[in-house]
Structures are given as C-alpha cells and as structure tokens.
Amino acid sequence: MNLESNFLEITPVLPSQNIMRDIEWHQKHTGFNPIFGDNMYSGLQRAHMHIHLQWHAETPEDPLLGGSVIKLFVGDIKPVFDEFVERTTVSKDKLRMNTAWGTHEFGFFDLNHNAIFIVQSI
C-alpha cells in the first residue's frame, strides 16, 4: 500500500470561547453549518470541507491562544468573494489578486482571532 494514498483529509480544529456563538457566526459569515457537537466540541461543514471548534477556558491551564490560521482553497475565487462581501464577512477592497506567491486571496478573522483565508492558486 502506498502510504500517501492512505491519507484522506485534514480538518482544522479552531479554539473557541463560545461554541454556540461561533456556530452562528460561521453560518452567517462563512456558510459552514453544524453537523455534530455540543457546547464543548462541534463540527461544521460546507461542501466537502470541515472545520471543528473546540472550547477553551482561556486560563493558564487551558489557554484559548488564538492566532490559528487556516486556508480554504477554491477553484474560482470571484463567486466566493462576492458571496462573502454579501454576507458582510469582508469589504469589497479585501480581494488580493495575483500575489507574489501565485494566488488570488482574501482573509478575515473569526470571533476568536483565528485567521481564515480563502485562496485560489493561479
């Protein structure tokens, strides 16, 4: 068996201070909808992509941290960008075309200061 073919997917797990609040935010601003979970750990899905949210107490023993970064790759960024402008997730000036690293992309922060980028490779 080829070891590489055994890898199926990767799912980012983002820290959250309030799972239910963050599920509502993602439904409104990213189009990801809940598929399982409770107020400690939940999974969200949009098409074939998943994001999980995990509650943290934001104490020295259980820090929230923040600062996580995820990139969601799409085939055509323009309709996705237009949707996220309509959702008021980003403003019309946030789309970066033809970056030096070969992408079109835009990004935003969720309520826990996790950075989420939508990226099209060019």
Side-chain angles (χ1 to χ4, degrees):
M1 171 188 250
N2 178 342
L3 183 59
E4 294 305 312
S5 67
N6 199 34
F7 285 86
L8 300 177
E9 67 181 55
I10 188 168
T11 301
V13 179
L14 299 177
S16 171
Q17 287 181 304
N18 183 320
I19 298 284
M20 296 305 148
R21 174 200 71 188
D22 294 343
I23 287 172
E24 287 182 23
W25 186 89
H26 275 283
Q27 286 180 294
K28 178 179 178 183
H29 293 284
T30 69
F32 276 78
N33 291 300
I35 55 171
F36 72 86
D38 55 27
N39 63 353
M40 300 298 288
Y41 194 94
S42 289
L44 306 169
Q45 180 176 2
R46 178 170 177 165
H48 63 278
M49 295 188 290
H50 297 87
I51 297 172
H52 289 188
L53 303 174
Q54 182 174 19
W55 182 81
H56 289 273
E58 196 169 15
T59 64
E61 297 79 28
D62 186 21
L64 182 66
L65 297 178
S68 297
V69 178
I70 63 171
K71 291 187 175 188
L72 306 174
F73 285 83
V74 298
D76 183 3
I77 202 162
K78 187 66 170 110
V80 179
F81 180 71
D82 291 343
E83 174 193 332
F84 279 59
V85 168
E86 185 175 319
R87 288 178 178 275
T88 70
T89 308
V90 296
S91 59
K92 291 181 179 181
D93 64 336
K94 295 298 181 185
L95 184 59
R96 297 180 66 195
M97 301 294 285
N98 302 311
T99 65
W101 45 94
T103 65
H104 303 318
E105 61 184 56
F106 65 94
F108 52 92
F109 292 97
D110 71 8
L111 298 174
N112 300 291
H113 306 290
N114 298 300
I116 301 171
F117 288 91
I118 310 296
V119 181
Q120 176 187 343
S121 295
I122 52 174

